[in-house]
Amino acid sequence: MIAVLDKVEQNFKKVGISCVQGNACAPYAVICHGDFWNNNILYKLDSNQCAESAKFVDFQIARYAAPVLDLIHYTFTCTEKTFRDAHLNELLDIYYKCLAKHICLFALDPTKIYPEQIFKQQLCRYGIFGLCMAAFSIPFFISNSNELVDLDEVCEAISVISAPEDSTTQNANNSVPSSSKDSANKSEENNEKNRALINDYYLLTPRSEPIFKRRMTGVVCDILKYDMADYVLNL
């Protein structure tokens, strides 16, 4: 478990980008939702308050990627380990059978369009994406609204810090007019404030941190249990 977490931490950007590259898994790639979790599903209820149909919303980060990506995202961010232990294999089987049935409705052969073997291979290859998304998303899902920081403010600070230095800042210590030096000094002061904001940025609270640790421990256990760790361990 520690080896998996260390590898993900060391290669987080590389792992994330590699998982969303549709061309790498073509011809078995599709347009994925990109942000598939509970709050982006609208259910129509029958008279008994049971769901009879569902619609998806919020496609603003849709992407061309492996078909399993949305499934993996939902599985590891929106379910608990106890649920996965009891039902995951059954749900994966139901998922593929329903998908194959719908492929047949278009007079296509699912064994050619998306063979079950490829489906299982992709689950193993891209399962690590579920760990990455869980680490990012679960803190939001388990937090109360009054516990969350101002993400717009944090994102703005990251954007400013990440921006290339302009010529004024680069020449701050050279022979430039005092107004330019003042501007550069002010810019550096703002950067210090932004760095402090980013360093203090922490989503978890004493209430939510134990929940997060329990959920993430379950995710890492299942990444190993379902043979989804080989890609990251071989980096």
Side-chain angles (χ1 to χ4, degrees):
M1 290 175 65
I2 293 174
V4 170
L5 290 171
D6 284 344
K7 284 287 189 176
V8 171
E9 183 178 16
Q10 295 163 14
N11 301 277
F12 193 86
K13 183 176 180 180
K14 180 178 181 180
V15 171
I17 291 176
S18 71
C19 287
V20 298
Q21 297 297 316
N23 291 334
C25 60
Y28 306 112
V30 298
I31 297 176
C32 296
H33 183 282
D35 190 17
F36 194 59
W37 68 293
N38 284 331
N39 281 24
N40 286 335
I41 308 174
L42 300 180
Y43 295 98
K44 180 181 179 181
L45 305 181
D46 60 19
S47 58
N48 296 318
Q49 297 300 297
C50 294
E52 62 179 16
S53 64
K55 301 294 183 184
F56 306 145
V57 297
D58 193 1
F59 288 85
Q60 64 187 27
I61 54 174
R63 59 170 66 95
Y64 179 63
V68 299
L69 224 57
D70 285 336
L71 179 62
I72 288 168
H73 183 168
Y74 185 92
T75 297
F76 288 113
T77 62
C78 298
T79 68
E80 296 262 6
K81 178 167 174 53
T82 51
F83 177 86
R84 294 192 296 270
D85 286 344
H87 303 292
L88 184 57
N89 284 325
E90 176 188 5
L91 290 175
L92 292 177
D93 184 57
I94 292 172
Y95 174 90
Y96 183 79
K97 287 180 178 177
C98 289
L99 176 61
K101 179 180 178 180
H102 279 79
I103 291 174
C104 291
L105 293 176
F106 293 91
L108 298 171
D109 184 351
T111 64
K112 296 179 180 179
I113 298 296
Y114 194 46
E116 187 172 8
Q117 180 183 2
I118 298 298
F119 170 64
K120 292 179 178 179
Q121 288 175 358
Q122 287 190 342
L123 286 172
C124 292
R125 164 61 181 86
Y126 297 107
I128 199 67
F129 182 74
L131 189 152
C132 295
M133 293 310 301
F136 175 79
S137 302
I138 288 177
F140 295 96
F141 300 168
I142 63 176
S143 296
N144 298 321
S145 58
N146 62 340
E147 295 174 322
L148 294 174
V149 298
D150 187 335
L151 289 181
D152 289 337
E153 188 177 2
V154 174
C155 288
E156 178 64 23
I158 293 172
S159 176
V160 171
I161 292 296
S162 302
E165 291 184 326
D166 59 28
S167 57
T168 301
T169 303
Q170 293 172 358
N171 296 325
N173 296 321
N174 298 331
S175 298
V176 295
S178 59
S179 60
S180 296
K181 289 184 178 180
D182 291 342
S183 176
N185 289 336
K186 186 175 181 180
S187 176
E188 183 57 32
E189 288 177 7
N190 288 333
N191 283 342
E192 287 298 325
K193 292 179 181 178
N194 287 326
R195 291 189 191 100
L197 176 64
I198 294 169
N199 289 337
D200 291 339
Y201 167 64
Y202 192 63
L203 274 174
L204 300 173
T205 66
R207 182 197 65 80
S208 62
E209 187 167 17
I211 302 173
F212 176 75
K213 289 181 177 180
R214 172 177 57 79
R215 292 278 299 270
M216 286 305 301
T217 298
V219 169
V220 181
C221 284
D222 282 352
I223 290 293
L224 293 167
K225 176 180 177 179
Y226 296 102
D227 298 323
M228 296 175 174
D230 286 353
Y231 168 74
V232 71
L233 287 175
N234 289 328
L235 291 176

